[in-house]
Amino acid sequence: MFGFIGATINPEECKYRLDLVEGSSPATAAVSVVCPSGQSIRETNPICTVTIGTQTGLHHVVFTNNSSKTTRDLKASVTVEGITYTASSGCSSPGTFNNATWRGEITLRADNSSGAQQGLWVE
């Protein structure tokens, strides 16, 4: 999240949900952070605590099909901006802000119950 040395990240029971955008080309998804009531993703470091709670409609993830047939997988390129977070009073800039960013790439792969890769793609 924010990369402080000595930080620990506790997602509690929060999840990221990807909702495919119908008719998008290339295939894209909106991102939501979904947390049970009273929970949040919590980064604790020696100086302060930063929390990210439930939020929806964050954009976006772009999917690209890789390879073919049973070795097909998906590359998900993540560029999510405007994530809302709260920094505690011990942080250098305490308060609630909506300028956090999540960027990266993830490869999604499907395996069957025997561990053999199966084709995975989006259209």
Side-chain angles (χ1 to χ4, degrees):
M1 287 186 2
F2 294 92
F4 289 99
I5 295 173
T8 59
I9 297 175
N10 180 359
E12 296 186 333
E13 293 181 39
C14 298
K15 310 275 188 236
Y16 290 103
R17 185 181 74 218
L18 303 178
D19 296 308
L20 289 174
V21 176
E22 187 175 346
S24 60
S25 180
T28 62
V31 178
S32 298
V33 178
V34 181
C35 300
S37 179
Q39 294 193 17
S40 61
I41 299 170
R42 188 174 307 277
E43 178 186 287
T44 305
N45 63 63
I47 300 168
C48 67
T49 298
V50 175
T51 58
I52 296 176
T54 296
Q55 47 199 292
T56 61
L58 302 169
H59 293 278
H60 68 272
V61 178
V62 176
F63 297 99
T64 306
N65 293 316
N66 291 315
S67 199
S68 63
K69 301 191 182 192
T70 60
T71 61
R72 190 180 304 182
D73 60 24
L74 292 173
K75 179 175 84 172
S77 298
V78 180
T79 306
V80 177
E81 298 175 338
I83 300 169
T84 300
Y85 64 96
T86 300
S88 71
S89 61
C91 297
S92 60
S93 296
T96 299
F97 306 92
N98 65 346
N99 60 353
T101 301
W102 172 28
R103 296 180 195 273
E105 288 187 355
I106 303 165
T107 299
L108 304 170
R109 176 182 147 153
D111 294 341
N112 66 18
S113 60
S114 299
Q117 185 174 355
Q118 304 296 294
L120 174 67
W121 69 94
V122 293
E123 294 180 350

